[in-house]
Amino acid sequence: MIIRELLNTLDEKVPFASSESWDNVGLLIGSKEIEASGILTALDCTMEVVDEAIEQGINTIVAHHPLIFKGVKNITDDSYGPIIKKLIQHDINLIALHTNLDVHPQGVSYMIGQHIGLKHMRLLEEQEIPYYKVQIFVPDKDVEKMKSIFNQHQLAQTNEYSEVFFQSQGKGQFKPSEHAQPHIGQANETEIVYETKLEFMVESHEIQLVKKLINDYHPYEEPVYDCIEMKKSAPTGLGIIGELDNEQSIQSFVAEFKEKLQMPAVRYIGDLKQSIKTVAIVGGAAVEYAQLAKNKQADLFLTGDVKHHEALDAKMDGINILDVNHYSEYVMKDGLKNLLKTWIAEPINIQSSKINTDPYEYM
Ligand code: ZN
Ligand code: ZN
């Protein structure tokens, strides 16, 4: 499998376009035309992870956190420079799946949920896809012509259906001025025409084409139409919410969490006497989703990187938060390895990194 094909598969399964606008995903270092000798999944691409790939004869690292992120100004012997140089010197490809993996329904939060045995997991916040509802008023005799023009341009389609229209008939009325060049009717005389209202949906990027086609092909001098912006829920979204098998005390939940994720320490903000059943998770650093988790009846919200004032706010608002450290996202190494094995049909060596890239020492 060449890198181009791997990128196509990844783009189909975890679309790069579903990542945040500030993010940096896809092929960060490498060449699209080389054969992938194997894939190593990692949370962070550290020097140890690069060495691990070299030792294993693997030339492709798929990491969650982008190595090149804030805008690299130079590649020298300082900072991340040596890692970038080593990747290039050893022809190792580096691919980042970051927020596009976070918003995947089986993404990083889901993987943490699986580790703690959460049931009935659903998205905490579904993403929304903008689209347009177009309604256009056409004389009955011109309806089929207009539909065929839209069809020729692959408009009015869903995933599996094409030529998706609704039409209803009614009476249209207008009075042309003496300067008009009417398709039907005469100046200064009220005209009544049997018209069809044609309705269909298009994606946001198609709306300019639709307007152009209406203006080019509608028989009227001044076509009548509306393009109404709408939103529908996407299959992707951030975070998950689900239930534990049994209601549990905070103490026993935390003890089990630390054991299952091999976390030496976590930090809790909230009521220590609380017993919990519904748990929401947003992997990484996402304390801003705590209120949404509470609104959705979560007894406990799991995330990482909670700061002092955010913790105080949560305490004031009566929200229970467990700061499970940003590094708890490391479960994506095995989680992504398993997903890749189901997504890639051809035989290829897929391994998860054994390196612990947590920068903290717990003392
Ligand atoms: Zn993440
Ligand atoms: Zn992260």
Side-chain angles (χ1 to χ4, degrees):
M1 166 173 249
I2 61 166
I3 298 299
R4 180 188 300 282
E5 293 164 335
L6 174 61
L7 289 169
N8 287 345
T9 302
L10 293 174
D11 196 25
E12 185 194 318
K13 300 296 184 185
V14 263
F16 298 127
S18 65
S19 64
E20 296 285 348
S21 55
W22 46 259
D23 206 358
N24 191 25
V25 297
L27 183 65
L28 303 190
I29 294 173
S31 313
K32 287 184 181 167
E33 302 310 327
I34 5 179
E35 183 76 22
S37 62
I39 298 173
L40 183 68
T41 62
L43 179 62
D44 307 283
C45 182
T46 62
M47 191 60 100
E48 292 74 20
V49 171
V50 180
D51 289 337
E52 187 184 20
I54 295 167
E55 272 161 36
Q56 298 205 23
I58 286 178
N59 73 347
T60 304
I61 297 171
V62 181
H64 185 44
H65 294 144
L67 176 69
I68 301 171
F69 197 36
K70 288 174 190 159
V72 177
K73 298 259 173 22
N74 49 48
I75 299 168
T76 62
D77 292 337
D78 302 320
S79 185
Y80 292 98
I83 303 175
I84 297 170
K85 281 206 275 185
K86 194 158 199 174
L87 285 164
I88 295 169
Q89 281 162 355
H90 288 81
D91 283 330
I92 294 183
N93 305 286
L94 175 63
I95 296 170
L97 301 182
H98 191 209
T99 49
N100 53 330
L101 186 61
D102 286 322
V103 299
H104 188 275
Q106 269 97 49
V108 179
S109 303
Y110 181 91
M111 293 166 188
I112 298 172
Q114 272 184 319
H115 260 72
I116 60 172
L118 218 51
K119 299 286 167 5
H120 319 121
M121 283 192 274
R122 58 254 177 221
L123 292 170
L124 181 63
E125 187 189 61
E126 285 175 355
Q127 283 184 331
E128 288 187 318
I129 307 173
Y131 72 98
Y132 280 88
K133 174 71 164 290
V134 180
Q135 46 188 42
I136 159 171
F137 301 82
V138 199
D140 287 353
K141 65 180 177 51
D142 295 294
V143 174
E144 293 308 317
K145 184 189 92 180
M146 286 309 296
K147 282 201 281 192
S148 77
I149 286 160
F150 296 133
N151 291 335
Q152 280 163 28
H153 288 83
Q154 282 84 45
L155 298 163
Q157 292 190 345
T158 63
N159 285 348
E160 301 298 335
Y161 297 87
S162 57
E163 304 182 19
V164 184
F165 295 101
F166 181 82
Q167 61 192 70
S168 48
Q169 285 173 305
K171 257 193 239 176
Q173 170 182 330
F174 49 83
K175 183 156 107 182
S177 81
E178 55 207 54
H179 305 296
Q181 306 279 319
H183 173 69
I184 305 170
Q186 288 173 16
N188 295 319
E189 279 185 34
T190 305
E191 187 69 36
I192 294 194
V193 182
Y194 287 94
E195 291 178 341
T196 296
K197 176 184 175 187
L198 195 61
E199 299 175 50
F200 56 98
M201 299 188 304
V202 295
E203 292 178 30
S204 293
H205 71 270
E206 296 170 325
I207 198 64
Q208 293 308 326
L209 173 62
V210 169
K211 287 179 183 174
K212 184 177 184 316
L213 293 174
I214 293 173
N215 286 311
D216 287 354
Y217 293 99
H218 194 290
Y220 287 175
E221 189 178 17
E222 294 175 10
V224 180
Y225 64 95
D226 307 298
C227 302
I228 306 161
E229 195 171 11
M230 312 281 283
K231 279 188 177 134
K232 59 184 170 187
S233 30
T236 51
L238 202 63
I240 55 102
I241 182 163
E243 282 82 38
L244 298 167
D245 273 336
N246 300 302
E247 201 163 303
Q248 251 181 308
S249 72
I250 266 290
Q251 275 84 359
S252 78
F253 176 82
V254 167
E256 278 180 27
F257 182 91
K258 285 163 64 179
E259 196 192 317
K260 284 175 180 160
L261 269 93
Q262 294 152 23
M263 272 288 160
V266 293
R267 298 189 299 174
Y268 180 63
I269 304 134
D271 178 4
L272 274 168
K273 293 188 210 73
Q274 178 92 41
S275 60
I276 54 165
K277 172 97 174 149
T278 303
V279 177
I281 305 173
V282 181
V287 73
E288 62 273 25
Y289 286 84
Q291 188 66 54
L292 175 65
K294 191 191 177 197
N295 294 347
K296 291 206 162 183
Q297 314 299 321
D299 305 312
L300 180 67
F301 178 59
L302 266 62
T303 191
D305 285 348
V306 181
K307 293 181 190 164
H308 174 84
H309 289 289
E310 296 164 341
L312 264 183
D313 291 349
K315 195 147 186 155
M316 297 291 179
D317 295 339
I319 304 174
N320 301 319
I321 299 180
L322 194 65
D323 184 334
V324 293
N325 307 308
H326 198 131
Y327 186 68
S328 58
E329 282 196 310
Y330 81 87
V331 299
M332 60 66 58
K333 295 189 289 184
D334 281 334
L336 182 61
K337 180 177 87 173
N338 296 337
L339 287 177
L340 289 172
K341 282 185 174 174
T342 64
W343 294 343
I344 300 172
E346 12 187 320
I348 181 166
N349 178 22
I350 304 173
Q351 299 296 330
S352 57
S353 171
K354 305 287 176 285
I355 308 286
N356 182 327
T357 57
D358 192 352
Y360 289 101
E361 301 290 347
Y362 299 84
M363 305 169 88

